[in-house]
Amino acid sequence: MDTSNLIQTILIYALPVLFAITVHEAAHGYAARHFGDNTAYMMGRITLNPAKHIDPVGTILMPLLLYFATSGAFLFGYAKPVPVNFGNLRKPKQQMVWVALAGPASNFVQAVAWGVLLITMVGMGVDERFFIEMARAGVQVNLVMWAFNLFPLPPLDGGRILVGLLPWKQAHMVSRIEPWGFFIVMALVIAGVVGSLWLRPLMSLGYSTINLLLTPLTALLR
């Protein structure tokens, strides 16, 4: 493996990844506080300081090990989840949907923002490869986080959204999966189910939506 290419790849992705996980987790905390739960605020987790959200194993060690083990073919990582006590929400079942949705929504907004930066740089004739690739990475990383976290299985955000939307009986049945949800999701990822049946279609939709939203800017900068 070319060490210089590895270092360059890490530098290109470092800032987008830090922004993606930091804003994602902070968004959960902000939403929870808005609806009545101050748990994350009291623990100092409603912050844009990346150090508060980085998990040494999930954010650094695991992605690096997977990168080397698979030659970059498969990457996965996670941040420290923001603590939310859904029982403190004013309307727990309904408002947990908005708290869960806040994280993926923040990633989609960031993907659009990186897209704006990319189109602006290209439109203004900026040809510095490092910054162009970083903007592309920003779009990609955030769309991956947006799509992956919407997968409808606890403990992912999509699973919590599903629990909040289902009737009580069905919601309780789905919520009971949570202790094993992470392992189930990983098994589905390794089997290729999540990638082929969920990530690719949803990311394709995400890219199409962003292209549509940024069409006026693209036309303006031509």
Side-chain angles (χ1 to χ4, degrees), residues 45-185:
R45 294 295 306 280
I46 302 183
T47 175
L48 295 179
N49 178 3
K52 294 287 187 178
H53 305 291
I54 291 175
D55 183 282
V57 174
T59 312
I60 300 172
L61 183 60
M62 181 182 288
L64 284 176
L65 288 175
L66 287 173
Y67 186 91
F68 283 111
T70 66
S71 298
F74 176 71
L75 286 177
F76 177 77
Y78 55 87
K80 287 191 291 187
V82 163
V84 177
N85 187 340
F86 293 106
N88 290 338
L89 302 178
R90 289 185 288 273
K91 296 179 180 179
K93 194 168 185 302
Q94 296 93 329
Q95 293 171 347
M96 73 181 295
V97 173
W98 298 107
V99 174
L101 190 59
S106 75
N107 289 123
F108 192 84
V109 170
Q110 287 181 82
V112 174
W114 282 107
V116 169
L117 179 61
L118 175 61
I119 290 172
T120 302
M121 287 193 295
V122 172
M124 295 180 67
V126 176
D127 58 1
E128 176 56 52
R129 179 180 172 272
F130 180 82
F131 295 113
I132 296 293
E133 291 301 319
M134 180 182 288
R136 287 196 178 118
V139 176
Q140 180 188 35
V141 164
N142 279 285
L143 281 183
V144 169
M145 284 193 66
W146 165 73
F148 183 75
N149 278 283
L150 284 178
F151 190 73
L153 193 70
L156 296 178
D157 297 326
R160 300 192 189 281
I161 293 169
L162 181 62
V163 169
L165 294 176
L166 287 173
W168 282 104
K169 184 178 180 180
Q170 289 79 6
H172 179 66
M173 291 173 61
V174 174
S175 65
R176 292 177 63 183
I177 299 173
E178 184 158 347
W180 303 278
F182 177 81
F183 303 103
I184 296 173
V185 171

Side-chain angles (χ1 to χ4, degrees), residues 32-45:
R33 188 183 184 195
H34 175 75
F35 290 115
D37 177 37
N38 287 322
T39 305
Y41 174 74
M42 298 297 291
M43 296 180 69
R45 294 295 306 280

